[in-house]
Amino acid sequence: PQNGGFTFNLLNFYTLYFCPFFSSLPAKLINGGIAGLIGVTCVFPIDLAKTRLQNQQNGSRLYTSMSDCLIKTIRSEGYFGMYRGAAVNLTLVTPEKAIKLAANDFFRHHLSKDGKLTLVKEMLAGCGAGTCQVIVTTPMEMLKIQLQDAGRIAAQRKLMPETVAAGTVETKSPTAMQLTRELLREKGIAGLYKGLGATLLRDVPFSIIYFPLFANLNNLGKRGVEGPAPFYVSFISGCLAGSTAAVAVNPVDVIKTRLQSLTRGSTEDTYSGVTDCIRKILRNEGPSAFLKGAYCRALVIAPLFGIAQVVYFLGVGEFLLSFLPKKDN
């Protein structure tokens, strides 16, 4: 009887908490995927510029600004050079965005069961969403950064040979699959999760800031107490909340980018961890180095999350699934 009671309670808990979530999961996956694919395609060149600007250190500065980086990239690598690493991002952004948005909805729903969803509860929901997403975000960023930064290293060899170690042989840039196999062979699964701590330090605060700020900005544009906000309000709210959160956590993004970069010039620092990275950046480059790429990051995140929220709130996934034949009970 006790075991039967336990089974009933477990089933009741699953039905109450998880069934509503999993029943809407396909739509959330579609919404996250569509939003991610559109957003990444639009802003990826700016993201590439952000990575290269964050990675260059004093003494090996190849680019002076975002526009300078993009112009030099097109000249040396062609138009498609701006999309180095895009395949990895486009492949993994679907589960990443789906996990992030769906997890936030899940936590917000269950934290509001006992009453009003306070700001603290909204921040807790964002914290949960940010923690869940790093499962996909860390390996995606790890591979993307190597591919994005390969062009910078190649350009350094040609234009700044003094930054290249003596005897270094120029090799062809590896593909995402080659990088994955190499990391798994040398370091196991931990190789793909290098920089996990820094990724958590970036994504958790980002979500804590972003989701409550978006929800409150979006509520200001609602039609009536219960009515949904127009799509343009969701877009603007997503852009404002995204850019604010992006700039706020940019110092940690710089640290994460530096830690996850595997290839460096001979004059560039290497880092053993988050604390070592912070100490060396402060000593050699000054506090302003933590704001490298902040402008680019805001330009990337703003439309990315604006588009995501519009797709999510318009219910594109739900609309597409409505065309599937329904099962007869």
Side-chain angles (χ1 to χ4, degrees):
Q2 287 182 343
N3 188 46
F6 173 76
T7 303
F8 174 77
N9 288 332
L10 190 63
L11 182 62
N12 192 41
F13 177 82
Y14 175 82
T15 304
L16 180 63
Y17 285 92
F18 289 96
C19 278
F21 173 70
F22 284 113
S23 64
S24 61
L25 187 59
K28 294 179 191 296
L29 286 168
I30 293 171
N31 286 331
I34 292 172
L37 292 172
I38 295 172
V40 167
T41 303
C42 294
V43 302
F44 193 83
I46 304 174
D47 187 63
L48 178 135
K50 182 224 41 142
T51 297
R52 293 186 177 184
L53 287 170
Q54 287 182 338
N55 255 338
Q56 64 179 7
Q57 301 177 23
N58 289 349
S60 59
R61 289 174 64 86
L62 188 63
Y63 313 111
T64 58
S65 64
M66 178 185 74
S67 57
D68 181 54
C69 179
L70 293 176
I71 290 168
K72 287 178 178 175
T73 299
I74 292 172
R75 284 176 180 170
S76 61
E77 303 168 55
Y79 174 79
F80 290 106
M82 296 191 298
Y83 283 87
R84 277 179 181 260
V88 173
N89 225 23
L90 289 169
T91 302
L92 295 179
V93 75
T94 297
E96 188 221 19
K97 284 287 172 287
I99 289 170
K100 189 185 194 82
L101 297 172
N104 181 65
D105 271 5
F106 174 77
F107 289 120
R108 285 176 70 90
H109 174 71
H110 294 297
L111 285 170
S112 63
K113 279 186 175 292
D114 299 327
K116 184 182 176 182
L117 191 65
T118 62
L119 180 60
V120 173
K121 288 183 178 180
E122 288 183 319
M123 293 171 74
L124 283 172
C127 177
T131 304
C132 290
Q133 79 168 83
V134 298
I135 297 168
V136 176
T137 304
T138 306
M140 178 181 76
E141 293 274 312
M142 182 68 189
L143 296 173
K144 183 191 73 171
I145 285 171
Q146 314 316 314
L147 296 168
Q148 286 182 328
D149 206 39
R152 181 184 70 89
I153 299 298
Q156 274 188 359
R157 288 194 176 102
K158 293 178 183 177
L159 303 175
M160 305 171 71
E162 68 278 5
T163 65
V164 182
T168 302
V169 179
E170 185 173 351
T171 57
K172 188 178 178 182
S173 299
T175 64
M177 286 304 297
Q178 288 171 336
L179 277 170
T180 304
R181 283 196 295 267
E182 185 179 337
L183 286 167
L184 289 173
R185 184 177 64 252
E186 293 180 1
K187 300 180 181 179
I189 194 70
L192 290 174
Y193 281 87
K194 183 181 180 183
L196 175 62
T199 306
L200 276 167
L201 287 173
R202 183 197 67 172
D203 289 350
V204 171
F206 177 92
S207 295
I208 288 173
I209 296 168
Y210 172 77
F211 284 110
L213 183 56
F214 167 77
N216 286 280
L217 288 173
N218 197 56
N219 284 339
L220 295 175
K222 279 190 173 182
R223 295 168 177 157
V225 179
E226 297 296 331
F231 79 92
Y232 61 86
V233 172
S234 293
F235 176 76
I236 293 171
S237 299
C239 289
L240 289 174
S243 57
T244 302
V247 173
V249 302
N250 194 76
V252 190
D253 191 53
V254 172
I255 295 166
K256 183 197 73 66
T257 300
R258 297 279 182 97
L259 288 174
Q260 289 187 319
S261 295
L262 299 175
T263 307
R264 291 185 176 86
S266 62
T267 61
E268 294 180 336
D269 289 325
T270 56
Y271 312 103
S272 60
V274 173
T275 306
D276 182 54
C277 185
I278 294 170
R279 186 172 60 249
K280 286 181 178 176
I281 289 175
L282 284 173
R283 185 182 65 215
N284 300 329
E285 301 172 65
S288 62
F290 290 109
L291 292 178
K292 284 184 177 181
Y295 176 61
C296 297
R297 184 161 163 75
L299 287 178
V300 168
I301 296 296
L304 193 61
F305 278 85
I307 293 167
Q309 293 298 352
V310 168
V311 172
Y312 210 64
F313 275 79
L314 287 177
V316 176
E318 288 83 353
F319 174 74
L320 293 174
L321 289 175
S322 68
F323 290 99
L324 294 177
K326 293 179 175 59
K327 293 181 180 179
D328 295 327
N329 294 325

